[in-house]
Amino acid sequence: MRIIPFVVSTVVTAGLVFAMNKQWGKIPPMGKFLSPQHGIWQNAEPVNQSYSSELKFDGLKGKSSVYFDDRLVPHVFAENDEDLYFIQGYLHAKFRLFQMDLQTKAAAGRASEIAGSKAIEYDRKQRRAGMVYAAENAMKEMEKDPATLSLFSAYTNGINAYISSMKESELPIEYKLLNLKPEKWSNLRTALLLKMMANMLAGDTEKDLFNTNAKHLLIPDELKQLYPQVFDSLVPIVPKGTSFEKPGIVPVQPKSADSVYFTNQDLIVTKDFKEQDAVNGSNNWVVAGSKTKSGAPILCNDPHLELSLPSIWYEMQLSSPKSNVYGATLPGSPFVIIGFNDSIAWGVTNSQRDVKDYYEIKFKDNTKHEYWFNGKWEKATQKIETINVKDGATVYDTVAYTIFGPVMYDDSFRDTSSSLHRNLAVRWTAHDPSNEGIAIYHLNRAKNYDEYVNAIKTFDCPGQNFVFASKSGDIAIWQQGKFPARWKGQGLYVMPGTDSSYMWQGFIPQGENPHAKNPARGFLESANQRPADSTYPYFIPGGYITARGITIEHYLSQMNGITPEDMMKLQNNYFNTTAEDVRPILLKYVDKSGLTAKENEYLDIFKNWDLMATADSKGQTVYTYWWQALRNEVWNNLTKNAGDLKSKMPVIEGQTLLELLKRDTLFFEKGIPAWNLPPDQNAVTNSLKNAVAKLEDLQSKNKETGLEWRKFNKPGIYHLLDKSKKDLLPFDRPNLNTGGAGDIVNAISGSHGPSWRMIVQMTETTEAYGLYPGGQSGNPGSKFYDNMVDYWVEGKYYKLWFMHDADRTDKNIKWTMNFSSK
């Protein structure tokens, strides 16, 4: 009978072994996950963790050392460039492997391999946007130059050296949670990462489809009034009064434009328009020595992006006999993206320029093998996309490629065009062969203005505003990118794709991109506003942001004897320029007699507000909800006869509404201004009532009282896997005690904000300060995962240690890694 207990025990044991090593739904195999030797326990770093090591790898040409300071910032000293970038790749992988893996898989339309079926439509959209196609074209350009290829390959080899040497216990915790293993890296994945950034930054300017709907309802004069190209209050990047050369290319408008383009009222979109907050922007500025206390230029940069943990950036110094550079690097890509060397400093902001257009394609039949172009049927290239789905069936999607680019929307993919049976191909400059990486490589080594200009010439997409300062005293800014030379109105709406007359006729010559050097006023700035005033000879549509540029311009114009500490205060400034203009208008036209006691209480808060969007500001909260309610009120009146279409058009922008109100040119019906209507129809008063009701309701639902701005802005930083912003709370940093807003210099809005703050004073010995909201390690079990967040919230900075060869025994060094060949 002893056999029965033995059999039972064996079966139970076998069952437990099976159960503990099988993934059940979202639960990882608990045997591996909880293993003392290999599981999550191994991701908890001891407080006194040592990062020192002796490492040997095939392919290294010399001896190199990495010196880590007390914030785990690596200072890499190598004997040649190939070893330098091999080590950069190794360090990126060691500290940020899952981040790099996830982001490039998402860029390639492979998120379903991680997230399952809920990511299928996202993956289809990525593939139909031609993300891999764009990266492959970039690779072709990279491979033309053996020297460039060797640098990228060295970086890739460094990543793969770490992956190959990594033990199972060293797997990032996310792999253990998801029961995944990392893949080998490739140069293509680096190209994909750069295209992902281009796609993300292009999204702020893309309204072609919704604009096409708007002209179904509005006549041309109304379209110009509601969607202006140049604001009255514009403070352009290039100072007003700058003279521009005669254009090197003059595009010709097609003869049929009036009949088949501007006045064509066909609908395109059936999906609701989702307004982009003015948050995916950035600030940079530079002041000349004539305005600083030291007599040396000071350069500042703070790019605003979706914040995440692990952090977007990885801080490091890269030194070889050919260069010595420090700054923010992008895990998954070599070089320093934003930073400084021994001679110059530079920073970037997004240009906000529109470099993506849509063309309607006429296919011969549903096979989409041929399309009509220039009077004959042309063959389309068919690409079958294979989407592997975790715990699901493989999905196949056929994408047709035309002379314009991939057909992103058709009857089989209705993310936007839905049932309207439109075949829309996308033409995007990111699809063209380019080599942005080598531009950054040369910028890392530039020593003066001429070398800076030559370096950035090959940077095509995304268009960026490159600000510059040198130790020789020069300051400059260039808006650099590959920008279509458009005839007036081209690209605002979906264009006919049946002939070549609506294609781009060329690109603005690089030397004619807006730029300025050493202005008499002693400073230059960019904050995602339009780069030039209306005298610029090219039509340049985009998703521009105006308010932050006005604020920065105001402060810099008044400042003299500037110090780095003054620049820290300006980067952390909370002044609300838009509200400064809005408040007198709202107070003038609000009907106080029609307000309740509670509504008057809110009105008093707004009236007595100091116009600062601090964390505890109540005025910022009332302003935000009142101004948004007025925009809604105005939009509802303007589009009251539009039916469902009004939600499928771009909503009137706040800056547009403000300028129309300031000019008293906004009317609702029969020429009667909104504020002169009877009280029950007064838009300003109604919108205040609506705002108060909403705020009272929100406080009731949240079971808390108080109008402090941080409770409504909800600033926080979330793990890359935590899309819902609640699922991975141990890895998140929610409810940060900070203020800000998208159109304020300190542009913290929800989980968006300054992703890297940097200030560089170009004195004989470079004086630099900076930080980002996170930490050097991607491991939530490390003290370096989020150790800089609190300093970032408080508006503090770390002094950046720009190490030189003579500093190899400096007390700032905490750990050392030595690299050599096997």
Side-chain angles (χ1 to χ4, degrees):
M1 298 295 291
R2 286 181 295 177
I3 191 66
I4 294 176
F6 173 76
V7 170
V8 171
S9 175
T10 301
V11 171
V12 170
T13 301
L16 284 172
V17 170
F18 173 78
M20 294 292 282
N21 286 282
K22 177 179 171 59
Q23 179 159 342
W24 300 91
K26 294 183 179 180
I27 301 173
M30 297 306 291
K32 289 196 298 181
F33 188 67
L34 299 175
S35 166
Q37 292 79 26
H38 308 294
I40 59 167
W41 320 111
Q42 293 296 318
N43 296 98
E45 290 183 0
V47 175
N48 60 347
Q49 170 79 23
S50 174
Y51 298 94
S52 295
S53 57
E54 298 289 328
L55 300 165
K56 295 180 181 294
F57 295 102
D58 290 329
L60 290 174
K61 298 179 179 180
K63 293 182 178 180
S64 306
S65 294
V66 180
Y67 304 97
F68 290 92
D69 62 27
D70 61 353
R71 290 190 293 117
L72 202 61
V73 175
H75 305 259
V76 185
F77 283 75
E79 295 177 350
N80 58 78
D81 279 354
E82 287 83 357
D83 287 358
L84 185 70
Y85 298 119
F86 178 100
I87 294 168
Q88 185 182 21
Y90 182 92
L91 294 174
H92 277 171
K94 180 175 176 62
F95 293 106
R96 299 295 186 81
L97 180 59
F98 178 76
Q99 169 186 359
M100 297 157 55
D101 196 8
L102 176 69
Q103 289 177 332
T104 52
K105 281 181 177 173
R110 296 178 57 196
S112 299
E113 296 174 24
I114 298 171
S117 59
K118 63 184 178 184
I120 291 173
E121 291 307 296
Y122 171 86
D123 284 347
R124 292 185 70 198
K125 187 171 185 178
Q126 292 295 95
R127 305 210 184 191
R128 286 173 162 270
M131 294 296 290
V132 173
Y133 169 69
E136 289 172 341
N137 284 337
M139 283 291 301
K140 292 174 185 175
E141 193 70 15
M142 181 196 306
E143 291 170 348
K144 287 179 181 179
D145 178 19
T148 300
L149 182 59
S150 70
L151 299 175
F152 281 90
S153 296
Y155 177 79
T156 290
N157 291 340
I159 296 172
N160 288 330
Y162 177 75
I163 294 173
S164 298
S165 64
M166 183 174 52
K167 302 172 185 175
E168 185 176 354
S169 61
E170 295 171 332
L171 273 175
I173 192 171
E174 295 90 347
Y175 287 111
K176 297 174 183 179
L177 282 167
L178 297 167
N179 192 27
L180 296 172
K181 292 289 179 66
E183 291 181 2
K184 284 190 68 175
W185 198 258
S186 66
N187 290 344
L188 179 65
R189 298 187 78 180
T190 294
L192 270 167
L193 185 74
L194 298 177
K195 296 304 176 182
M196 179 197 76
M197 294 294 290
N199 191 43
M200 178 180 68
L201 295 173
D204 294 341
T205 68
E206 191 179 324
K207 296 179 182 175
D208 310 37
L209 308 185
F210 297 100
N211 285 341
T212 303
N213 271 13
K215 68 187 177 79
H216 177 83
L217 178 71
L218 303 170
I219 62 174
D221 285 346
E222 293 170 332
L223 289 167
K224 289 177 184 176
Q225 186 181 35
L226 291 178
Y227 309 116
Q229 289 296 313
V230 184
F231 289 119
D232 294 344
S233 57
L234 171 68
V235 177
I237 294 171
V238 174
K240 287 183 177 179
T242 298
S243 59
F244 299 105
E245 296 179 8
K246 188 176 180 180
I249 178 172
V250 181
V252 179
Q253 178 178 303
K255 294 179 180 179
S256 63
D258 286 335
S259 58
V260 303
Y261 177 65
F262 287 114
T263 59
N264 185 325
Q265 295 192 324
D266 288 347
L267 291 173
I268 290 291
V269 183
T270 61
K271 178 175 147 182
D272 285 353
F273 175 76
K274 184 177 180 181
E275 184 179 11
Q276 296 282 341
D277 192 7
V279 290
N280 256 8
S282 306
N283 305 319
N284 65 23
W285 62 82
V286 61
V287 292
S290 60
K291 288 180 71 70
T292 68
K293 186 176 181 180
S294 69
I298 300 177
L299 181 143
C300 307
N301 192 197
D302 55 303
H304 309 151
L305 297 166
E306 176 71 20
L307 305 177
S308 65
L309 292 168
S311 297
I312 298 164
W313 304 106
Y314 180 76
E315 188 179 338
M316 68 192 309
Q317 179 178 353
L318 299 171
S319 182
S320 75
K322 295 182 179 179
S323 70
N324 187 22
V325 61
Y326 188 113
T329 70
L330 186 65
S333 177
F335 318 131
V336 169
I337 308 300
I338 300 168
F340 57 93
N341 61 31
D342 287 312
S343 303
I344 73 163
W346 73 94
V348 297
T349 64
N350 194 29
S351 71
Q352 304 294 115
R353 295 276 287 275
D354 182 8
V355 293
K356 183 188 286 188
D357 286 345
Y358 290 89
Y359 291 84
E360 185 167 4
I361 303 300
K362 178 183 177 182
F363 284 110
K364 188 173 185 178
D365 52 42
N366 290 335
T367 66
K368 298 182 174 63
H369 286 281
E370 295 179 275
Y371 63 99
W372 187 254
F373 184 74
N374 280 346
K376 61 179 180 177
W377 295 108
E378 297 283 355
K379 288 188 180 297
T381 301
Q382 303 281 320
K383 183 177 181 181
I384 299 175
E385 298 283 358
T386 302
I387 302 173
N388 296 315
V389 182
K390 184 178 182 179
D391 300 325
T394 300
V395 173
Y396 299 96
D397 191 18
T398 301
V399 182
Y401 279 73
T402 69
I403 192 171
F404 301 100
V407 175
M408 190 165 178
Y409 301 115
D410 57 26
D411 284 346
S412 71
F413 185 69
R414 299 175 178 177
D415 177 77
T416 297
S417 58
S418 192
S419 59
L420 294 176
H421 305 292
R422 304 292 188 201
N423 300 302
L424 303 180
V426 59
R427 174 71 176 99
W428 182 26
T429 56
H431 288 155
D432 297 346
S434 63
N435 191 352
E436 286 75 21
I438 205 62
I440 300 299
Y441 171 83
H442 289 304
L443 189 56
N444 282 197
R445 285 154 178 73
K447 295 181 176 60
N448 52 49
Y449 174 79
D450 290 339
E451 291 184 8
Y452 143 80
V453 173
N454 286 329
I456 65 175
K457 279 181 179 179
T458 59
F459 196 98
D460 287 352
C461 186
Q464 297 287 289
N465 302 306
F466 285 87
V467 71
F468 165 88
S470 71
K471 289 195 175 180
S472 62
D474 287 328
I475 66 170
I477 196 165
W478 272 81
Q479 182 164 99
Q480 175 56 34
K482 185 178 181 180
F483 302 118
R486 303 172 181 273
W487 38 268
K488 189 173 182 180
Q490 185 180 17
L492 292 179
Y493 318 111
V494 172
M495 292 186 281
T498 52
D499 62 55
S500 56
S501 63
Y502 287 85
M503 296 177 74
W504 297 341
Q505 298 171 26
F507 297 91
I508 297 173
Q510 192 273 338
E512 295 178 34
N513 284 339
H515 62 279
K517 178 187 177 187
N518 297 332
R521 65 185 192 174
F523 71 91
L524 292 162
E525 58 82 18
S526 75
N528 313 115
Q529 71 269 48
R530 183 183 161 95
D533 61 22
S534 57
T535 63
Y536 186 62
Y538 292 99
F539 177 67
I540 51 172
Y544 303 117
I545 303 166
T546 303
R548 276 185 283 109
I550 295 173
T551 306
I552 295 167
E553 192 99 0
H554 169 76
Y555 279 98
L556 291 179
S557 64
Q558 296 182 340
M559 297 172 73
N560 287 294
I562 297 170
T563 66
E565 290 71 26
D566 294 328
M567 299 292 85
M568 294 177 193
K569 291 177 183 177
L570 184 52
Q571 281 190 338
N572 286 275
N573 184 279
Y574 286 134
F575 185 75
N576 193 324
T577 292
T578 305
E580 182 182 35
D581 288 338
V582 165
R583 183 161 62 179
I585 296 171
L586 299 188
L587 293 178
K588 178 179 179 180
Y589 293 110
V590 67
D591 179 12
K592 299 176 188 176
S593 66
L595 301 179
T596 65
K598 175 62 69 175
E599 290 160 354
N600 270 301
E601 181 183 322
Y602 277 73
L603 181 62
D604 286 341
I605 291 171
F606 175 70
K607 184 164 58 176
N608 298 315
W609 173 37
D610 64 1
L611 297 176
M612 291 289 181
T614 56
D616 59 357
S617 172
K618 297 179 180 179
Q620 173 68 24
T621 305
V622 176
Y623 156 76
T624 300
Y625 281 80
W626 189 0
W627 184 231
Q628 183 59 49
L630 180 59
R631 286 180 62 199
N632 293 340
E633 184 91 7
V634 168
W635 189 244
N636 288 337
N637 274 279
L638 288 171
T639 59
K640 64 183 179 181
N641 297 322
D644 292 340
L645 185 58
K646 73 177 179 183
S647 65
K648 298 164 180 61
M649 299 160 49
V651 177
I652 186 171
E653 291 185 8
Q655 190 68 35
T656 304
L657 176 58
L658 170 60
E659 299 200 1
L660 289 172
L661 292 175
K662 286 171 74 173
R663 294 201 303 261
D664 281 355
T665 55
L666 182 65
F667 302 93
F668 287 88
E669 57 181 330
K670 298 179 181 177
I672 304 174
W675 41 86
N676 289 337
L677 293 169
D680 62 333
Q681 295 178 0
N682 186 300
V684 175
T685 306
N686 281 350
S687 58
L688 175 58
K689 288 178 174 289
N690 291 336
V692 171
K694 186 167 185 177
L695 285 168
E696 287 289 302
D697 182 57
L698 286 172
Q699 290 177 84
S700 175
K701 287 179 179 177
N702 295 336
K703 297 181 180 178
E704 61 174 84
T705 57
L707 293 169
E708 290 80 7
W709 176 231
R710 67 178 179 276
K711 298 177 181 177
F712 297 87
N713 192 27
K714 299 185 183 302
I717 309 171
Y718 299 88
H719 190 276
L720 284 167
L721 290 176
D722 194 2
K723 294 299 183 185
S724 67
K725 300 181 180 178
K726 64 181 179 181
D727 290 342
L728 285 172
L729 289 179
F731 298 171
D732 298 337
R733 288 295 303 271
N735 305 317
L736 298 174
N737 186 28
T738 184
D743 60 352
I744 284 169
V745 175
N746 193 3
I748 301 170
S749 178
S751 57
H752 282 76
S755 60
W756 163 248
R757 291 183 180 133
M758 182 184 77
I759 297 169
V760 186
Q761 181 163 245
M762 304 303 292
T763 42
E764 183 177 354
T765 299
T766 305
E767 184 180 350
Y769 303 86
L771 86 169
Y772 59 82
Q776 289 288 92
S777 176
N779 178 15
S782 169
K783 68 178 181 180
F784 294 106
Y785 175 68
D786 61 354
N787 58 304
M788 293 189 280
V789 171
D790 291 340
Y791 248 46
W792 178 85
V793 167
E794 295 167 16
K796 296 179 180 179
Y797 293 72
Y798 295 100
K799 190 166 187 179
L800 306 183
W801 181 41
F802 193 31
M803 181 180 170
H804 288 82
D805 197 61
D807 300 325
R808 292 181 186 242
T809 59
D810 195 280
K811 64 181 180 180
N812 285 318
I813 298 169
K814 302 302 179 186
W815 306 279
T816 303
M817 280 184 186
N818 292 314
F819 288 78
S820 61
S821 180
K822 281 186 177 179

